[in-house]
């Protein structure tokens, strides 16, 4: 996710609690969705779609935060 921000992500992960919380939640949802789609975890199509939308929102929030931090460093 966001290879252009890989260095910044490495730098702030664990130091920026807001970013870390978003990043970890995104990864948790990603794994849960994969498990649901592989039928390791039982779920309806509606439940999976709802989680995908939540994951996308988190991704948008992560991107916006990275952009803000990038602007602050410039």
């Amino acid at each position: 996710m966001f290879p252009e921000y890989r260095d910044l992500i490495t730098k702030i992960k664990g130091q920026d609690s807001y970013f870390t919380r978003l990043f970890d939640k995104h990864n948790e949802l990603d794994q849960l969705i994969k498990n649901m789609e592989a039928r390791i975890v039982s779920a309806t199509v509606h439940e999976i779609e709802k989680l995908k939308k939540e994951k996308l929102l988190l991704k948008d929030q992560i991107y916006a935060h990275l952009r803000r931090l990038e602007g602050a460093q410039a």
Side-chain angles (χ1 to χ4, degrees):
M1 178 171 51
F2 307 121
E4 67 275 21
Y5 289 109
R6 185 167 288 132
D7 291 340
L8 180 57
I9 290 169
T10 300
K11 181 179 176 183
I12 65 171
K13 193 162 183 325
Q15 294 178 354
D16 181 326
S17 61
Y18 175 73
F19 174 81
T20 301
R21 190 171 53 254
L22 291 176
F23 191 85
D24 289 347
K25 181 65 178 173
H26 180 275
N27 287 339
E28 285 175 27
L29 283 178
D30 186 54
Q31 188 58 54
L32 179 57
I33 291 165
K34 287 177 184 176
N35 289 343
M36 289 174 160
E37 290 177 334
R39 302 199 188 276
I40 296 169
V41 173
S42 154
T44 65
V45 172
H46 177 71
E47 290 170 324
I48 294 170
E49 289 304 313
K50 182 179 175 190
L51 290 178
K52 284 182 176 182
K53 288 176 184 176
E54 185 179 341
K55 184 180 133 186
L56 185 57
L57 178 62
L58 286 168
K59 187 174 182 178
D60 289 344
Q61 291 171 336
I62 289 168
Y63 182 71
H65 190 66
L66 290 169
R67 295 275 310 217
R68 278 192 300 275
L69 291 174
E70 180 183 49
Q73 291 180 355

